[in-house]
Amino acid sequence: MEEDYIKLIFGLKLKQIRTDKNLSLFGLSKLSGLSKSYLNEIENGKKYPKPDKIVALSEKLDVPYDQMVSLKLDKNLAPIGDLLQSKILKEIPLELFGIKESNLIDIVANAPAKVNAFISTIIKIAQHYSFSKESFYLASVRSYQEANNNYFEDLEQSVLKFAKAYHVDLNNIITSSDLAEILEEEYGYRIQTSELSKYEALGNLRSLFVPKTKTLLLTSEIDEAQRTFIFAKELAYNFLEIKERLYTFPWIKFDTFDQVLNNFYASYFAGALIIPREKISKQLNEIFANDTFDESLFLEAIEAYNASPESFYQRLTNILPKAFNIQNLFFLRFTHKAKSDTFYLKKELHLSHQHSPHGNETDEHYCRRWVSLKVLKDISKSKKKHEFDLQISNYENDGMQYLVLSSATKDPFKEKQYRSISIGLLINKQLQRKLNFLDDPKIDTQNVSVTCERCAITNCKLRKVPPIVLEKNAKNKKIQSIVEELNEKFSS
């Protein structure tokens, strides 16, 4: 185990022994002859006593020396030992949220036995279900985004500084050739645009950066928008002076959390460069000011940038919370194969923490009334490059309504596969003030649920399976009601 963890475990054991004997720090100081401040540092895991000091503590506390120095904790503190040895705390970027590991250990150490048991249960669940380092890292980044409403002013300012330094006109469409020139001339890059295509086993790998020679390898299958985004990310790594980074896109391997976090920073920078804040804010103001939803105006806004619809929708999750104070929103990305009736939720972001689902992994059937799935079915049957639709989704069980805008496009790397990108805005007074077109009668309103298994909508023609979860819950409630009646009947 690491030296810091050994100090922590000794400190936890000493504190437990002291409290079990009803001794204060002052009392232990008088008993052992060691200063109160020194004992406090030991208990907080900051210092590890020398052997002669351990001998003194062992004799005065009447605890065997071997027991004092053993890394084995008793059953009350055992979950903390499991926590330390599992290195989960090293996987979770606590510092990102302003939490010190030592403070967290102290909180856990002072927690009642039930909390320790809960920690032990979490560790066992993580081990049983192979809850990976990747899962921790990605969940941490999502939480970081949500905690900041997915808006980062320092990165927005960095884009403006970059544009000024390299005379990039943010009012014009940013092209890959514009960015390639800066990469080559300023940062000494060598760009090869077809090397990766020679290796079929690389699948959908789009780029690989070789740091030793500053060579950026690309697959010839990417389009102009994808190439521009990759170049923008490379510029972000250099301009922001990021050293700890990932070298492939999409990434296939990482070693540290910083690599994953910096990948997010670089992606944010790229999105903000290609879709500048001021320009998109003006477009949205124009769209929102109309009394009816102008679909052509919205599609023109998407096409006004050298970016994919996904990048545009992602950028909306940055701009809407800050520029329009629309913070109750969600972002979803689904994938779908032609002629299949299965839909996979691949990416999600929930700034409001209200919308369902949050990554449904129960093999249930997502509600077929969602516009996110409708556009996928539409594009799989048409020859269009881009299907768009919107709806007001009424979640009767939650008492909430969302305005959901959704676009579907073909997956450029997978034959006969499609993806949909959706952004949902909670309909409340704030949204009603900002969007004049919310009362547009042409916007379709659908009563929706989360999954068919949990849906109470009757006579749904799109239902795939019966509401078995709902029926089971209703049955259990009925049983509980009868049990209560019997208890009352035979209690008198």
Side-chain angles (χ1 to χ4, degrees):
M1 293 180 68
E2 294 181 26
E3 184 180 345
D4 288 345
Y5 283 176
I6 294 173
K7 290 179 183 177
L8 279 170
I9 285 178
F10 187 90
L12 288 169
K13 291 185 74 169
L14 179 61
K15 185 173 184 178
Q16 184 185 37
I17 294 167
R18 175 177 63 78
T19 53
D20 285 348
K21 294 181 178 294
N22 296 316
L23 278 171
S24 64
L25 270 175
F26 179 83
L28 182 58
S29 174
K30 288 290 185 182
L31 186 66
S32 65
L34 304 176
S35 72
K36 180 182 172 182
S37 60
Y38 179 65
L39 290 169
N40 186 55
E41 286 185 302
I42 292 173
E43 288 191 359
N44 286 326
K46 294 180 180 177
K47 287 189 176 179
Y48 192 89
K50 293 181 179 179
D52 61 317
K53 301 291 193 300
I54 299 175
V55 168
L57 289 168
S58 171
E59 291 175 351
K60 298 301 180 182
L61 291 170
D62 193 24
V63 176
Y65 181 93
D66 289 347
Q67 184 180 330
M68 291 283 291
V69 298
S70 170
L71 296 178
K72 186 177 180 180
L73 295 166
D74 71 16
K75 63 181 181 180
N76 291 327
L77 290 176
I80 300 173
D82 292 341
L83 189 71
L84 296 174
Q85 293 187 62
S86 70
K87 298 191 176 182
I88 287 176
L89 294 181
K90 291 297 183 186
E91 307 289 5
I92 302 173
L94 298 169
E95 71 282 352
L96 194 65
F97 302 96
I99 301 171
K100 290 184 178 179
E101 184 180 318
S102 57
N103 291 345
L104 187 62
I105 293 292
D106 194 48
I107 292 168
V108 174
N110 286 294
K114 288 182 179 179
V115 175
N116 286 334
F118 172 73
I119 293 168
S120 183
T121 301
I122 292 297
I123 292 170
K124 287 177 181 176
I125 290 172
Q127 292 170 342
H128 183 71
Y129 290 100
S130 299
F131 195 56
S132 64
K133 180 166 67 174
E134 172 187 334
S135 301
F136 276 121
Y137 286 177
L138 294 178
S140 298
V141 171
R142 280 198 301 272
S143 296
Y144 181 52
Q145 290 176 259
E146 291 166 1
N148 290 277
N149 286 322
N150 204 29
Y151 181 84
F152 297 87
E153 181 63 32
D154 55 337
L155 293 174
E156 299 283 347
Q157 291 299 322
S158 293
V159 167
L160 297 179
K161 290 175 183 176
F162 173 85
K164 183 177 180 181
Y166 293 100
H167 297 280
V168 177
D169 189 350
L170 296 179
N171 291 314
N172 292 333
I173 294 177
I174 308 294
T175 67
S176 62
S177 59
D178 296 331
L179 304 185
E181 184 179 11
I182 300 172
L183 282 172
E184 292 169 334
E185 296 297 327
E186 183 70 11
Y187 296 109
Y189 270 51
R190 294 192 300 171
I191 300 172
Q192 295 190 11
T193 59
S194 60
E195 181 66 23
L196 297 187
S197 302
K198 299 176 183 177
Y199 305 89
E200 187 177 345
L202 291 178
N204 68 341
L205 193 70
R206 302 173 199 177
S207 68
L208 167 64
F209 178 65
V210 182
K212 189 174 182 180
T213 58
K214 289 191 173 183
T215 302
L216 181 62
L217 305 175
L218 303 173
T219 175
S220 58
E221 295 173 355
I222 59 175
D223 60 22
E224 166 62 10
Q226 292 167 335
R227 186 162 39 252
T228 303
F229 184 78
I230 291 169
F231 290 171
K233 278 187 69 176
E234 289 299 323
L235 286 169
Y237 283 129
N238 286 276
F239 189 74
L240 299 176
E241 298 181 346
I242 293 172
K243 305 299 181 187
E244 192 80 2
R245 57 161 292 179
L246 300 170
Y247 295 109
T248 61
F249 179 66
W251 53 267
I252 55 173
K253 179 182 179 295
F254 58 81
D255 298 310
T256 67
F257 172 75
D258 283 343
Q259 290 176 338
V260 180
L261 180 63
N262 289 334
N263 178 70
F264 163 69
Y265 286 150
S267 297
Y268 188 106
F269 181 100
L273 176 63
I274 297 167
I275 307 175
R277 175 178 57 184
E278 187 175 345
K279 184 176 179 180
I280 190 174
S281 296
K282 287 180 180 178
Q283 291 172 317
L284 292 173
N285 269 317
E286 186 180 355
I287 294 167
F288 294 168
N290 292 331
D291 292 331
T292 58
F293 179 74
D294 191 333
E295 180 177 328
S296 62
L297 202 59
F298 184 76
L299 295 178
E300 282 176 16
I302 295 177
E303 293 165 4
Y305 305 95
N306 187 11
S308 67
E310 180 169 354
S311 294
F312 182 85
Y313 279 74
Q314 286 270 23
R315 190 64 173 135
L316 291 181
T317 68
N318 308 139
I319 299 301
L320 292 176
K322 180 65 176 180
F324 298 90
N325 199 27
I326 299 173
Q327 298 178 6
N328 293 299
L329 60 82
F330 65 82
F331 170 93
L332 303 175
R333 182 178 78 196
F334 279 93
T335 61
H336 171 66
K337 193 170 184 177
K339 297 182 180 180
S340 164
D341 201 35
T342 305
F343 300 87
Y344 299 96
L345 179 56
K346 292 296 187 179
K347 194 171 185 179
E348 55 184 328
L349 182 72
H350 302 264
L351 298 192
S352 64
H353 298 278
Q354 297 178 46
H355 177 255
S356 296
H358 286 273
N360 192 304
E361 297 292 343
T362 56
D363 293 326
E364 295 180 18
H365 297 73
Y366 292 113
C367 179
R368 270 29 180 193
R369 292 167 173 249
W370 287 358
V371 69
S372 305
L373 307 191
K374 177 183 177 296
V375 291
L376 278 172
K377 298 208 82 170
D378 289 345
I379 197 167
S380 68
K381 296 175 183 177
S382 72
K383 295 182 179 180
K384 291 184 179 179
K385 291 183 178 180
H386 182 180
E387 281 282 353
F388 170 82
D389 205 350
L390 79 164
Q391 73 177 33
I392 291 176
S393 294
N394 179 34
Y395 287 82
E396 287 184 318
N397 291 345
D398 298 333
M400 296 179 182
Q401 285 189 322
Y402 288 85
L403 174 69
V404 185
L405 301 97
S406 189
S407 288
T409 58
K410 187 181 182 302
D411 189 320
F413 291 94
K414 295 180 181 178
E415 188 67 24
K416 295 183 179 179
Q417 291 205 27
Y418 305 88
R419 60 179 62 172
S420 74
I421 312 299
S422 303
I423 187 166
L425 313 177
L426 179 67
I427 297 178
N428 53 20
K429 290 183 178 179
Q430 174 64 14
L431 195 71
Q432 289 167 345
R433 283 194 293 267
K434 295 293 182 180
L435 276 60
N436 289 345
F437 63 76
L438 271 182
D439 294 326
D440 185 349
K442 292 181 180 178
I443 299 177
D444 181 39
T445 298
Q446 287 278 355
N447 289 331
V448 302
S449 185
V450 179
T451 64
C452 294
E453 287 82 349
R454 301 168 190 271
C455 178
I457 300 172
T458 57
N459 301 320
C460 178
K461 296 179 180 179
L462 300 178
R463 179 185 290 282
K464 293 299 171 184
V465 293
I468 52 178
V469 175
L470 215 60
E471 290 169 354
K472 182 179 178 181
N473 291 340
K475 183 179 179 180
N476 289 339
K477 284 183 180 179
K478 182 64 176 177
I479 293 172
Q480 183 181 350
S481 175
I482 294 172
V483 168
E484 289 173 357
E485 288 178 14
L486 290 171
N487 269 324
E488 187 175 346
K489 181 178 179 179
F490 289 96
S491 293
S492 55

